[in-house]
Every structure is written in C-alpha cells, then in structure tokens.
Amino acid sequence: MDRRDFVRLGVAAGTAAGVAKVAGAAGGSAGAAILDAGALEQQAQMQAGKLTSKSLVQQYLARIAAIDKAGPAINAVIELNPDALQIAEAMDRERKAGKVRGPLHGIPVLIKDNIATADKMSTSAGSLALAGVRASKDAFIAQKLRDAGAVIIGKTNLSEWANMRSTHSVSGWSGRGGQTRNPYALDRNTSGSSSGSGAAMAAGLATLAIGTETDGSIVSPSSTCGIVGIKPTLGLVSRSGIIPIAHSQDTAGPMTRSVADAALLLTAISGADASDTATADSRGKAGDYAKALRKDGLQGKRLGVARNFFGSSTAVDALIEKELAVLKAQGAILVDVQLPNTDKYGNSELEVLLGEFRPDLEAWLSGYAAHAPVKTMADVIAFNGKNAERELRHFGQEHLVAAQAKPGLEDKAYREALANNHRYAREEGIDKIMREEKLDALVAPTGGVAWLIDYINGDHYGGSFSSPAAVAGYPHVTVPAGYVHGLPVGISFVGGAWSEATLIAMAYAYEQATLRRRAPTFPASVNVKA
C-alpha cells in the first residue's frame, strides 16, 4: 500500500492541517492525550459519550498518515484495514444498544503481518512472495480480538519471515514493507522481528499491538522501543493461523505502552484452541490478568538477579543497578544468581528452529493460503532468487536454504536437540535455579540499546536475556527501565511456566513506582557530533 492509500484512509479524521496537528501531538502535546491513553481510559471516555470508536480510529489513521508514512516516516504499518471504520461504527452501534463486549470493545489494535486475517488485508510475513495473498480464515487470536470487540486497524511491518531468513539480516526490513525505524532515533534499528509493532506502540499509532516471538522478537523490540512486552508461556496463546518458524518456541503476545494494557490484551487473546494442541495445557491456567495489577506486587517477592546476563554494556548495567534498588525499595528480596547451563543450547536451538521451519511453514501455506503462488519452502527460495533485486538486495536467505535441507521432524538429530533444549533451559536451567534459591522470578536487563541500521554489516545486538525463557517456553515480561543516550532500555522479569500473573504483578508494581516511559520525539539521530 502506498502513501496515497494511507492518506485516503486517514482523510476522514480531518483536513491536512488537522493531520499536521496530530503529527505534532505524537511528541506529547495535550491535544493527543486520548491517543496516548490506555484502553481503560479510552473505554471510560466512550462509556461517558465523549468518544466513539469511529472517531478514535479516525484519529489513529490520521496519525499513521502523518507520522508513519510522512515525516518522520518510521514505516511501522505495512497495511491498513479498509474496513476499520465500518467495524468501529458497528462497535459504536452495539454500545448504543447497550452491548459492551468487554474492556477492548471499540479499541484499535495493530497486529503483526504474520497473523492471518480473513479480510481484505494480506498476510505475508513481509515477503513479496505472499504480497496480496489473503488468508482463507482468521488466526485464532485474530478471531479472539474480534470477539472481544477490538478493531483491527492494520498490520505492522516485521523482519521478513520473522527474522528467519538470513544469517546476516537487518532487523525491521522486509521486501514488502521496507525498513522500520526507531522513533527514539530514526537512524537506529527497532530490533526484530516484531519491529513494526514495537515502533507503532512507541509512536502511538494504535492503542494496542500484537507481536510474535520465537526468541526475542517480542521482548527485544519492546525494550528498544521503550514499551511493555509479554512473551507468554508456550500454549497460553494459540498459534493457529500465525505464519510459523518453529512450534517448539513460537508464540504471540501483547506489545503495549503500559502493563495494564498488556494484561487486558493477554486476557483477551489467551485460551485453549482445538487447532493448537499446545494450548490444552492452558485450561485452568489462563485467567483475567487485570486482577494481577497490584502496586504491592513486589512486596516479599524473592528475585534472582541473573548476573550472567549483565556485562554487555557498562551504561546499561549502571542503569539497571539503579532500578534494582527500586525493586528492593518496593519490598523485593534480591539474590545474585548465575542462571545455569545457558551455554548448552545455543547451537541446538538453531537446530530445532531449522528442523521445524520447513514443515511448519508448508503446513501453514496449505491450511491458510492454498491459493498462494508459493506452496513450499523451495518455492519461496526460488521466488527470492528470481526477484533478487528486490528481495535479496540487503542480505541473503541462508536460513531458508538450511531449513530446506533438514530431513524433518522424525530426524534423530532434531529430536535430540529438542530434548537437550528442554533439559538445559527448563529442568536444569530456570526451574533449577528458581527451586534452589526459592525464587519468584529472575530479573536482568532485557538487552542493549538500539543499534544503527547497517546494511553492510547487518545487525549487531548488545546482549540479550531472551533465550532462556524462549527456549524453555516460559513467560517473559519487559518494562521500560530508562534511557541511555536517549535510547530506551528494558528490565525483564522471567518466571516458570504459567507464572504470567505473578510476573505481571511485579512488572506493574515496578512500572507504577517508576513511570520511566516517555514518548519519543523522533530525532534523526542521537549520535554526539564531533
């Protein structure tokens, strides 16, 4: 979709002067307070008759037109839903008739472009091979959002194929969507692969967003874009209809500007799905996560400070050390620990991801996009080769080629790697240290600050705490902890399986005690001039 389409859909929100006003408001003016507010605040305004879902959607569309595709052009949204205003009007009619579905009724949400929607939008994972391909049915979580009354206003850009295409990738870039930029410094990366969801939330382009993660793709862009991200326990949120990498680690989760919004969104999208057998374990465990929003959520909690995930940046370490003092002041008991065996699943994790990628992707293509021009991973590889000028101009497709060569899910090497991962990430990793030290959670820096976009050298991460929870399939919550040279840094809370409520309580208590997040001002760069 080109810029003219965005502007056309945003015109209903006002004149060009009105759009310009919204653009300025993204930096924090009072005129855009409702757009930067949370779901409950917006819901209260609608209940009071001071706001409608339609007007809220119109205002976000105007902000997208002004900020995302015009200056500063962060390029977070890959496609808008042409039916968004009609859906919002339907939600307004329901409200007027006395039917309110819940806290997300009429609330605008953006979802990542690897989540199937049976509407007029594409589901492409950022690949030109799937551009224009419409899914035959909704992903389970897309239907859950609709059932909750949320208005899906568009889809967000991502690192193509959820960053599982190249060993030399640049996060936030896709052949279909181009490069997403960090709202806190436009020359810097958003991290990946839920790049657009992170940037969109930071810039206030919707109330809520959904990302997906295999390892780091929710928590890393959340940290580098200064927002809250929740990677749930594997099986709490259905993956049905989400373009996959690997069923052993894939999950969707909330990306929002507050812990409260993340809790509301997680409640709406969680639950058992007959089409995703992993969700059977969530029965009796999923709940109303808004009940966990307690300011005393850190009181008496025993937290293991994972010291082997410090050391990548002295500036980040210094910032997090100050935040540890906040945790202690809020009643937490801090214990320095070394998370064990983290060096024993690096190579085997990749073995599992590559082993599952081809069969999982081909199953999705068959079930949700049978009419697509590509049917197999081999087809995708061939498409990229034929369209190299557009698809391979920045980096290659080494991971696709490696995944194509893997023998399948019955392969002995794959099964041994999966067993190894679970052993050392779960029972001899997170479970072991939490049991031995009687911990309620682990804490550490989520990762480093955003790096410069670099098509020559590719991504250069500055440390990450994502892999233990990702490989184990355990929950991970990141919350804004402050800034280094104007760039956001997150603090992470990681727990055992199904501990989302406990982690949300801790994250909320920390957030409310600090309120570290501040809106971006879209500087071209934060580099110090010589």
Side-chain angles (χ1 to χ4, degrees), residues 3 19-27 62-77 179-188 190 199-200 202-205 453 519-525:
R3 181 169 173 256
V19 172
K21 182 179 179 181
V22 172
R63 181 179 269 191
I64 290 168
I67 292 173
D68 198 57
K69 295 303 167 184
I74 61 172
N75 200 36
V77 180
Q179 182 68 54
T180 298
R181 299 182 178 277
N182 195 309
Y184 290 88
L186 299 176
D187 59 351
R188 288 184 181 261
T190 50
L205 304 185
I453 296 168
T521 57
F522 310 100
S525 179

Side-chain angles (χ1 to χ4, degrees), residues 243-295:
I243 297 177
I245 291 177
H247 59 267
S248 294
Q249 293 182 204
D250 289 351
T251 185
M255 298 175 71
T256 62
R257 288 184 291 277
S258 71
V259 177
D261 278 352
L264 292 173
L265 189 51
L266 184 60
T267 300
I269 64 174
S270 61
D273 170 19
S275 297
D276 183 352
T277 57
T279 64
D281 292 337
S282 72
R283 297 185 188 278
K285 299 183 178 73
D288 181 357
Y289 294 104
K291 293 179 179 178
L293 300 172
R294 300 187 356 253
K295 290 186 178 181

Side-chain angles (χ1 to χ4, degrees), residues 72-76 157 159 168-174 177-192 195-196 199 224-225 393-395 449-461 487 523-527:
I74 61 172
N75 200 36
N157 194 26
S159 309
H168 196 68
S169 67
V170 175
S171 291
W173 184 89
S174 70
Q179 182 68 54
T180 298
R181 299 182 178 277
N182 195 309
Y184 290 88
L186 299 176
D187 59 351
R188 288 184 181 261
N189 206 283
T190 50
S191 188
S195 317
T224 57
C225 291
R393 59 192 175 117
H394 293 311
F395 47 86
V449 298
W451 57 92
L452 292 169
I453 296 168
D454 185 350
Y455 295 119
I456 297 173
N457 299 304
D459 287 339
H460 36 96
Y461 296 90
L487 299 171
S525 179
V526 295
N527 284 356

Side-chain angles (χ1 to χ4, degrees), residues 348 352 413-425 427:
S348 58
V352 168
Y414 158 74
R415 291 187 169 275
E416 288 178 347
L418 182 59
N420 177 85
N421 290 354
H422 289 169
R423 174 185 176 184
Y424 288 115
E427 54 262 32

Side-chain angles (χ1 to χ4, degrees), residues 160 297 300 405:
E160 189 174 311

Side-chain angles (χ1 to χ4, degrees), residues 17-362:
V19 172
K21 182 179 179 181
V22 172
S29 81
I34 196 62
L35 299 187
D36 295 320
L40 291 181
E41 293 92 334
Q42 293 174 349
Q43 196 66 234
Q45 291 287 302
M46 286 190 275
Q47 284 293 101
K50 298 178 181 179
L51 180 70
T52 64
S53 177
K54 180 181 179 181
S55 66
L56 187 58
V57 169
Q58 286 174 326
Q59 290 178 72
Y60 278 124
L61 292 176
R63 181 179 269 191
I64 290 168
I67 292 173
D68 198 57
K69 295 303 167 184
I74 61 172
N75 200 36
V77 180
I78 200 170
E79 185 170 4
L80 288 175
N81 184 356
D83 296 326
L85 289 175
Q86 291 177 301
I87 296 169
E89 288 173 341
M91 293 301 102
D92 288 333
R93 287 194 297 271
E94 285 190 8
R95 185 184 298 277
K96 191 173 182 179
K99 177 182 179 181
V100 176
R101 303 187 186 197
L104 300 192
H105 188 104
I107 299 296
V109 59
L110 287 164
I111 66 175
K112 189 175 176 181
D113 184 40
N114 59 351
I115 301 172
T117 53
D119 53 22
K120 295 173 184 175
M121 293 186 289
S122 298
T123 302
S124 72
S127 173
L128 291 170
L130 293 178
V133 172
R134 295 178 182 174
S136 56
K137 53 188 173 181
D138 271 345
F140 186 79
I141 63 169
Q143 187 58 57
K144 292 275 280 185
L145 287 169
R146 298 190 204 278
D147 291 345
V151 181
I152 300 173
I153 64 170
K155 293 192 174 183
T156 56
N157 194 26
L158 69 160
S159 309
E160 189 174 311
W161 296 114
N163 233 359
M164 195 62 179
R165 202 190 85 180
S166 175
T167 58
H168 196 68
S169 67
V170 175
S171 291
W173 184 89
S174 70
R176 179 174 175 236
Q179 182 68 54
T180 298
R181 299 182 178 277
N182 195 309
Y184 290 88
L186 299 176
D187 59 351
R188 288 184 181 261
N189 206 283
T190 50
S191 188
S193 66
S194 303
S195 317
S197 295
M201 282 298 94
L205 304 185
T207 313
L208 309 168
I210 299 285
T212 67
E213 174 164 330
T214 306
D215 187 339
S217 290
I218 289 174
V219 297
S220 184
S222 293
S223 177
T224 57
C225 291
I227 62 169
V228 174
I230 299 179
K231 186 209 80 75
T233 301
L234 191 77
L236 182 62
V237 176
S238 171
R239 289 83 53 83
S240 296
I242 300 175
I243 297 177
I245 291 177
H247 59 267
S248 294
Q249 293 182 204
D250 289 351
T251 185
M255 298 175 71
T256 62
R257 288 184 291 277
S258 71
V259 177
D261 278 352
L264 292 173
L265 189 51
L266 184 60
T267 300
I269 64 174
S270 61
D273 170 19
S275 297
D276 183 352
T277 57
T279 64
D281 292 337
S282 72
R283 297 185 188 278
K285 299 183 178 73
D288 181 357
Y289 294 104
K291 293 179 179 178
L293 300 172
R294 300 187 356 253
K295 290 186 178 181
D296 65 348
L298 284 163
Q299 186 66 44
K301 298 302 181 184
R302 191 172 170 88
L303 305 182
V305 182
R307 288 294 174 186
N308 46 332
F309 287 89
F310 287 68
S312 296
S313 165
T314 55
V316 170
D317 287 354
L319 184 151
I320 297 299
E321 290 293 346
K322 293 179 180 178
E323 301 312 293
L324 294 178
V326 174
L327 300 179
K328 192 172 182 180
Q330 293 299 308
I333 301 161
L334 304 185
V335 183
D336 283 351
V337 300
Q338 296 286 318
L339 182 57
N341 295 315
T342 58
D343 60 338
K344 294 182 179 177
Y345 47 81
N347 293 332
S348 58
E349 179 187 11
L350 182 58
E351 180 72 24
V352 168
L353 303 190
L354 292 174
E356 295 181 2
F357 192 14
R358 178 182 55 78
D360 286 2
L361 174 60
E362 291 176 355

